[in-house]
Amino acid sequence: MSDEATESGQTSVAPASLQAALSAAIEARDAAYSPYSNFPMGASVIGEDGTVVRGALIENVSLGLAMCSERVALFTAVTNEIVPTVLAVASKRTSGALTFPCGACLQVALEIAGPDLLVVAVDLDGQHEVTTLRELLPRAPHRFTAADEM
């Protein structure tokens, strides 16, 4: 497995947490239900306390009823009162590049975990990249906080 650094060089996640996130996302990918896109994706969330939750893509013939793996993992974290620190996604590459979460999933992650959430994409060969939600979604709308007044 390699660790492709981001422009800002932010890859500050403990190796054990990173490996747990990658392994769980890859395992979740195997549970994906993707008969329409044939693009199985898995995700995992690592909580502040080290808890790992998984999510798998679940498609539906009615596209609007499908649910991305990232949102399944994030919603499961909320349901279990887990504060996310890492979101990992596992899938094949898209046009030769690692596949990161879609805009809708990034927006949900921002709401639930904030801009400092670490986001990791891993491909089928184990190649991965670590970045932050802030880098992936720099100007996204977010909930108002006291820090916004400053």
Side-chain angles (χ1 to χ4, degrees):
M1 226 180 292
S2 77
D3 187 18
E4 301 173 9
T6 63
E7 281 184 25
S8 68
Q10 291 191 11
T11 58
S12 59
V13 59
S17 290
L18 178 62
Q19 187 56 49
L22 296 175
S23 295
I26 290 167
E27 288 172 10
R29 181 184 176 276
D30 292 338
Y33 177 72
S34 57
Y36 305 103
S37 70
N38 195 28
F39 196 87
M41 286 192 73
S44 67
V45 167
I46 306 294
E48 285 180 332
D49 64 355
T51 301
V52 179
V53 295
R54 301 181 332 164
L57 168 64
I58 304 168
E59 293 182 341
N60 190 283
V61 70
S62 176
L63 183 58
L65 299 178
M67 185 60 61
C68 295
S69 61
E70 302 92 298
R71 282 183 275 162
V72 172
L74 287 162
F75 294 158
T76 301
V78 169
T79 301
N80 290 291
E81 300 179 3
I82 296 166
V83 177
T85 58
V86 177
L87 170 64
V89 293
S91 72
K92 60 186 176 184
R93 289 179 175 247
T94 304
S95 300
L98 290 169
T99 304
F100 280 88
C102 70
C105 289
L106 293 174
Q107 186 66 50
V108 167
L110 182 62
E111 181 73 21
I112 292 170
D116 295 323
L117 178 70
L118 291 177
V119 180
V120 185
V122 62
D123 68 10
L124 305 181
D125 295 325
Q127 300 294 306
H128 66 275
E129 182 179 341
V130 180
T131 188
T132 63
L133 187 52
R134 180 185 319 277
E135 291 173 336
L136 292 171
L137 205 62
R139 301 182 118 193
H142 61 283
R143 61 187 159 165
F144 181 79
T145 64
D148 293 329
E149 290 181 1
M150 297 179 181

